[in-house]
Amino acid sequence: MESESVTPWRYRPRSNIVFAVAMAAAAVVTLVAGVQSGELVRFLPWAVAVAAAGWAAFVRPAVIVDAEGVTLVNPLRTIQVPWPALINVTTRYAMTLHTPTGKYVAWAAPGPGRYAVRDATNGDVLAVARRGETIALGDLPTAPSGLAAFQVRRRWQHLVESGELLAGEADTTAARVQVDWPLVTALGAAIILGLVTALV
C-alpha cells in the first residue's frame, strides 16, 4: 500500500495528439503561405501564435498525482493542491479539485463525451462506485475526468486510512498557483506583432 502514496501517476489525454498535430500543421501552412506570398514577416507572428497556442492547449496540460498532492498543469498556469488542502473532488464538466479558498479545474481531464458514455459498461460503473453514492457521468473511468478523479480519490483515501493525512488542516494549507509567464508573454507578443504587421 505504501507504493500507492509515493509512485507518481501522470495523465495526458491521448486524443489531444490529434489536435496538437492539426495546430502544428496550421502553423506550417501559415509559414508556407508567408513564403509564397513574399510576406513572411506578416505571417511569421501568426504561425508562432498558432504553434504556441496548440502546444499550450493540447501538449502541455496534464494531471500529476504524487505523495505531495495533485498538480494540474493547465494551458497557462500550474496549480499544486497539497493533500491537506483538498476537501472534495467533482467531475461535472471536468475533474475539479475543491479547497477552502477556491476550486481548480483540470484542463487535461474533461468530462465524458458521448462515446465515453456509450462505451461504459457495468464493470466500469462498479469500479468507481462508492457505497451509498450515485455515480455521475463524469465519474466513469472511460472519461478523462473519471479516470483522473479515481486516481486522486484512491490516493487520498489511502492517506486518510493510513493516518498520514490528518483532518482539520485544509483551512491552513493553501494551493499554489503559478502562471507560466514566458508562455503568456510569447503568445501576447506574437499576437501583438501580428496585429502591428497587419496594419503597417
Side-chain angles (χ1 to χ4, degrees), residues 176-187:
R176 297 181 292 275
V177 179
Q178 181 178 1
V179 177
D180 189 339
W181 288 113
L183 178 57
V184 172
T185 302
L187 272 171

Side-chain angles (χ1 to χ4, degrees), residues 110-198:
R114 60 179 179 177
Y115 295 110
V117 175
R118 182 197 66 186
D119 295 339
T121 65
N122 289 335
D124 292 327
V125 174
L126 292 175
V128 296
R130 297 184 299 279
R131 184 176 298 176
E133 294 186 19
T134 301
I135 301 302
L137 291 178
D139 286 333
L140 293 172
T142 49
S145 58
L147 179 62
F150 174 76
Q151 291 292 334
V152 172
R153 288 166 177 154
R154 182 173 67 115
R155 307 255 179 139
W156 191 19
Q157 182 179 7
H158 167 71
L159 292 171
V160 171
E161 292 178 350
S162 65
E164 298 177 58
L165 186 61
L166 302 177
E169 296 182 355
D171 290 331
T172 58
T173 307
R176 297 181 292 275
V177 179
Q178 181 178 1
V179 177
D180 189 339
W181 288 113
L183 178 57
V184 172
T185 302
L187 272 171
I191 293 172
I192 291 172
L193 187 58
L195 292 173
V196 170
T197 55

